[in-house]
Amino acid sequence: GIQVEQSPPDLILQEGANSTLRCNFSDSVNNLQWFHQNPWGQLINLFYIPSGTKQNGRLSATTVATERYSLLYISSSQTTDSGVYFCAVLGYRGTSYGKLTFGQGTILTVHP
Amino acid sequence: DGGITQSPKYLFRKEGQNVTLSCEQNLNHDAMYWYRQDPGQGLRLIYYSQIVNDFQKGDIAEGYSVSREKKESFPLTVTSAQKNPTAFYLCASSIAEETQYFGPGTRLLVL
């Protein structure tokens, strides 16, 4: 099945810093989503972005489907941005078709 | 408000016991999903259903069972055959293959 790798696994920032999270995937995908998991476990949708660039406030995301990667940018980070960020892709073919496969996540800690 | 609800928030299972986790959605979504998350890991797909009265196994279906008798409901039963059931269980729904929306989760612990 499709493989999803996220980097870095851990990231520690001071409040106000910018960061870039990366998601690489091993095959063509029908869609790609970025999520933020808060300390209570709730998964919050950030972006649905199979290709192109989207922005939502301090967050933006870019997916280059032909090169099989996506980037999540966080600008002017705040302590409330802390948590785990997941990338998930919906497979295009074979055993991955129709299934959302998650990466292992990036743990972000923002210090005041 | 539209959304996905899961109950209970915490569930304790004794050895050899079957337990059922509830997932309800009022988003009018056709597709529903169950995922398992272990500490420090991503989510793994247990079962999914794209339409009422139909469901498919995901990547880790052994020891679990589901039913989809109503569009709004997709309960998951953790059977005694699941030898390592302690985990965080998340339910999701979507319109076809579009954005999946997740419920708040159920934490299952073995006594």
Side-chain angles (χ1 to χ4, degrees):
Chain A
I2 197 166
Q3 304 298 313
V4 181
E5 293 184 1
Q6 291 186 243
S7 60
D10 297 275
L11 187 57
I12 299 174
L13 301 173
Q14 285 297 128
E15 201 166 27
N18 301 329
S19 62
T20 301
L21 282 59
R22 186 175 180 104
C23 172
N24 292 333
F25 43 97
S26 61
D27 201 353
S28 299
V29 297
N30 273 337
N31 81 44
L32 184 146
Q33 290 185 245
W34 282 98
F35 296 92
H36 175 215
Q37 188 169 38
N38 66 22
W40 297 272
Q42 176 76 55
L43 273 171
I44 300 162
N45 289 58
L46 298 177
F47 294 102
Y48 170 86
I49 186 166
S51 63
T53 297
K54 291 185 178 180
Q55 180 153 9
N56 184 5
R58 296 181 295 104
L59 273 60
S60 64
T62 295
T63 297
V64 183
T66 53
E67 297 186 22
R68 298 180 184 170
Y69 74 88
S70 183
L71 302 173
L72 177 69
Y73 306 96
I74 303 174
S75 64
S76 304
S77 59
Q78 301 175 357
T79 56
T80 52
D81 293 331
S82 296
V84 186
Y85 289 80
F86 287 105
C87 165
V89 300
L90 193 70
Y92 181 72
R93 55 187 163 205
T95 58
S96 299
Y97 177 74
K99 299 178 184 177
L100 202 61
T101 300
F102 282 75
Q104 296 288 73
T106 292
I107 301 173
L108 176 63
T109 304
V110 181
H111 291 301
Chain B
D1 283 352
I4 303 173
T5 57
Q6 292 186 240
S7 63
K9 191 171 183 178
Y10 296 95
L11 185 57
F12 298 92
R13 193 191 94 162
K14 295 180 181 179
E15 293 287 339
Q17 187 180 40
N18 292 355
V19 292
T20 297
L21 285 61
S22 170
C23 177
E24 304 277 334
Q25 55 96 2
N26 61 5
L27 300 168
N28 200 32
H29 288 170
D30 286 316
M32 296 186 73
Y33 313 82
W34 274 105
Y35 295 89
R36 169 181 171 140
Q37 186 179 27
D38 292 286
Q41 302 295 315
L43 280 67
R44 293 182 291 168
L45 183 64
I46 304 172
Y47 267 99
Y48 63 107
S49 168
Q50 293 174 321
I51 198 167
V52 174
N53 292 322
D54 187 45
F55 49 83
Q56 288 79 40
K57 293 181 179 180
D59 299 318
I60 54 166
E62 186 174 350
Y64 301 97
S65 66
V66 294
S67 62
R68 186 84 188 277
E69 297 176 0
K70 298 187 298 182
K71 186 176 185 177
E72 302 80 16
S73 178
F74 191 39
L76 173 74
T77 297
V78 184
T79 74
S80 57
Q82 173 49 245
K83 298 306 179 187
N84 186 22
T86 297
F88 187 45
Y89 291 86
L90 287 150
C91 177
S93 71
S94 70
I95 298 173
E97 296 178 352
E98 296 181 11
T99 304
Q100 289 191 19
Y101 295 92
F102 283 78
T106 293
R107 294 192 186 276
L108 176 60
L109 300 169
V110 177
L111 296 177

